[in-house]
Amino acid sequence: MGFILKLLLTAVLTFVLAKFLPGAHLGGFSDAILLVIVLAVLNAVLKPILKILGFPITVLTLGLFLLVINAVIVLLADYFLAGFKVDGFFAALLFSVVLSVVTSVVDMVVD
């Protein structure tokens, strides 16, 4: 039950973020639910691979390269979903940072 609650809360907050943040566009709430699911799958499958491949750059940049990896994940979600559009890399970076902060707050509240 907690998983579904987190999914729905994250989808609602993602929908709200897309309305307020510049450069991020969502078609509707169903697109927000799909976006959350696609981001979860990409984070589970692709993000560990990108972290391993980017480890030397991450060390050199003192961890800031992880923000780039998060932005790339958002850009991939933009590529896979027709109802979600991001205007560019910096919009994806802003969206990923704010979504990470909001998701961590949701995790603290629900758990």
Side-chain angles (χ1 to χ4, degrees), residues 34-48 73 80:
L34 284 174
L35 175 64
V36 170
I37 292 170
V38 167
L39 285 175
V41 169
L42 288 174
N43 282 330
V45 174
L46 193 61
K47 193 172 185 177
I73 296 289
F80 288 128

Side-chain angles (χ1 to χ4, degrees), residues 21-59:
L21 288 178
H25 312 284
L26 263 171
F29 185 69
S30 61
D31 291 325
I33 293 174
L34 284 174
L35 175 64
V36 170
I37 292 170
V38 167
L39 285 175
V41 169
L42 288 174
N43 282 330
V45 174
L46 193 61
K47 193 172 185 177
I49 297 168
L50 291 175
K51 280 184 176 180
I52 291 170
L53 291 175
F55 180 71
I57 299 170
T58 304
V59 171

Side-chain angles (χ1 to χ4, degrees), residues 3 6 8 11 19 26 42-43 56 79 91 98-99 102 107 111:
F3 172 76
K6 281 184 187 180
L8 290 175
K19 294 295 179 191
L26 263 171
L42 288 174
N43 282 330
Y79 177 75
V98 174
L99 185 63
V102 168
D107 287 342
D111 285 341

